[in-house]
Amino acid sequence: MTTSVYLGIVGVGGVGTALLEQLSRIPNAPKLVLLSRSTKTLLAPAPSYSSAIPFVDWETATAAPGITVCDALQPDEIIEHLASVPGRAILIDNTSDILLAKTYPSFLRRGISIVTPNKKAFSDELSLWNNIFDSAAQENARVYHQATVGGSLPVLSTLRDLITTGDEIVKIEGVLSGTLSLLFDTYMPAVGTANTKWSPLVAHALKIGFMEPDPRDDLNGMDFARKLTILARVVGIQVTGPESFPVDSLVPESLLSLPSSAAGVTELMAQLPNYDEQMDLAKIEAEKSGKVLRYIGSIDVPTQTIRVGLQHLDRDSPIANLKGSQIVSIYTKRYGANPLVLKGGGGGGEVTAMCVMADLLKLLGRL
């Protein structure tokens, strides 16, 4: 007998919107019984769930018979709604909300599986990481979070396959920020030269939407560090959090205290040119050694050394020639001196949604 599967989706931003569109195109998709955004929630009628929320034109469904519209729900209310379905339930969390992430164990202990690109769930306190997977094991629920590292690149599944089959991970290094990859390739290209200053590059990336609304969220290195934390935990290093290892911030210390409001970002961009000389000095140091400046992360597994920051690289190295994409090199005992390399665009709403969708389809196959 086939068990019915029901979905609850939280977050309808860029990733969530793209995911709903992709869900509308797959056959025999699970029923959507909860759709929540920051201001309101749509609920399919319990307990029969005879009608479901449509994946497309869902905003017009507020007038459909049986569909309830209410304010945003608290996590415990979402749990109760999903736990009442007459089958298996899955939460898809498209947010970056740490408060929701901290309730994952409660979902899992009620048998609700989770698919998410939320990095904070897996890079926060180590106790939360352990609690998530312990809770999943207790209730035979499952957790899929491929999109938390590398976007569409199959970094986590590849690492887990290597480990499960008995290989020994020696080192992981790469660039896990498409934004920083593009900035540094333009600032100091591997081929040729460039005379541009740092602050105009940041301003342009912000203008075209290639950076977070507050550029400090890209430049402080913490998003990158969260990804390294997840990778390290997957290979067995008990990292307490992204603050437990060195992370080079590209944000001048005096600008850290500016508010994250629109006015604060305007002031940030107005002051950033005053610090171009610091980046120029770093570039000059790289030039003296015949190398290029790049922002990379690395994990040395035997020594359990993790670092995120500026490094000098040979001009012909794969990382030095990266142009606005992501790359991860995995050195293992079996692969020897020639690492397994994963490379690609990685991010963006549609691409990240595709990765979430792939996780969902894998989960459906297991359920």
Side-chain angles (χ1 to χ4, degrees):
M1 180 178 177
T2 302
T3 301
S4 297
V5 182
Y6 300 83
L7 293 181
I9 296 179
V10 180
V12 196
V15 174
T17 299
L19 178 65
L20 287 167
E21 194 278 328
Q22 292 176 24
L23 279 165
S24 71
R25 293 188 275 111
I26 66 170
N28 303 315
K31 283 186 176 182
L32 180 60
V33 297
L34 180 148
L35 183 63
S36 180
R37 58 192 310 180
S38 59
T39 57
K40 65 181 176 182
T41 300
L42 274 64
L43 301 172
S48 65
Y49 299 98
S50 55
S51 60
I53 302 164
F55 294 120
V56 293
D57 299 326
W58 59 269
E59 290 189 272
T60 63
T62 57
I67 301 297
T68 300
V69 182
C70 59
D71 294 335
L73 298 182
Q74 295 300 311
D76 59 335
E77 295 173 304
I78 297 173
I79 291 171
E80 291 306 319
H81 191 74
L82 293 179
S84 68
V85 300
R88 300 300 299 269
I90 301 171
L91 169 72
I92 301 180
D93 174 19
N94 297 313
T95 75
S96 59
D97 184 1
I98 184 58
L99 297 179
L100 179 58
K102 287 185 175 182
T103 65
Y104 283 1
S106 298
F107 281 88
L108 295 162
R109 286 194 292 268
R110 296 292 294 274
I112 302 167
S113 294
I114 294 172
V115 176
T116 182
N118 188 342
K119 290 184 287 292
K120 292 179 182 176
F122 305 94
S123 60
D124 201 69
E125 297 175 357
L126 182 59
S127 59
L128 176 59
W129 168 279
N130 291 331
N131 198 3
I132 286 172
F133 291 102
D134 288 346
S135 299
Q138 290 171 17
E139 295 300 330
N140 198 29
R142 301 186 183 277
V143 182
Y144 284 78
H145 62 108
Q146 181 85 268
T148 57
V149 179
S152 65
L153 301 182
V155 180
L156 298 184
S157 60
T158 299
L159 274 176
R160 287 185 167 120
D161 286 346
L162 291 168
I163 294 167
T164 301
T165 58
D167 204 351
E168 180 181 334
I169 310 299
V170 177
K171 181 180 180 181
I172 304 170
E173 68 176 5
V175 175
L176 289 168
S177 168
T179 299
L180 293 175
S181 168
L182 180 63
L183 287 174
F184 277 97
D185 178 69
T186 309
Y187 184 60
M188 192 177 187
V191 179
T193 59
N195 296 319
T196 185
K197 294 291 185 179
W198 178 253
S199 60
L201 292 179
V202 174
H204 178 68
L206 179 62
K207 182 179 179 180
I208 64 175
F210 205 71
M211 298 194 82
E212 293 295 327
D214 186 339
R216 289 171 295 187
D217 292 337
D218 286 307
L219 299 178
N220 64 14
M222 289 310 297
D223 183 70
F224 204 138
R226 286 189 178 277
K227 297 172 184 176
L228 264 287
T229 298
I230 295 169
L231 290 177
R233 289 174 176 174
V234 168
V235 300
I237 301 175
Q238 301 294 297
V239 186
T240 58
E243 300 85 6
S244 63
F245 51 85
V247 178
D248 290 344
S249 174
L250 302 179
V251 182
E253 188 172 350
S254 61
L255 303 184
L256 290 173
S257 60
L258 291 173
S260 58
S261 62
V265 171
T266 299
E267 181 65 18
L268 168 75
M269 298 311 299
Q271 293 192 34
L272 195 59
N274 298 329
Y275 300 89
D276 280 344
E277 185 178 354
Q278 295 180 12
M279 290 298 295
D280 286 343
L281 290 174
K283 180 163 69 170
I284 290 169
E285 285 299 313
E287 288 174 340
K288 287 179 180 178
S289 60
K291 298 187 177 184
V292 294
L293 191 66
R294 293 293 183 267
Y295 195 90
I296 72 172
S298 62
I299 302 171
D300 186 275
V301 179
T303 64
Q304 299 194 359
T305 302
I306 308 170
R307 185 179 183 277
V308 176
L310 294 171
Q311 290 194 33
H312 297 172
L313 298 179
D314 292 332
R315 290 180 177 271
D316 61 353
S317 73
I319 294 178
N321 287 274
L322 204 62
K323 299 180 184 298
S325 57
Q326 302 185 50
I327 186 171
V328 177
S329 298
I330 305 173
Y331 294 82
T332 78
K333 184 176 181 180
R334 288 176 183 158
Y335 278 83
N338 297 311
L340 173 61
V341 179
L342 302 171
K343 178 182 176 183
E350 290 191 359
V351 173
T352 302
M354 177 196 71
C355 188
V356 173
M357 172 68 82
D359 271 354
L360 175 61
L361 293 176
K362 292 173 186 174
L363 174 56
L364 292 175
R366 299 294 293 272
L367 295 178

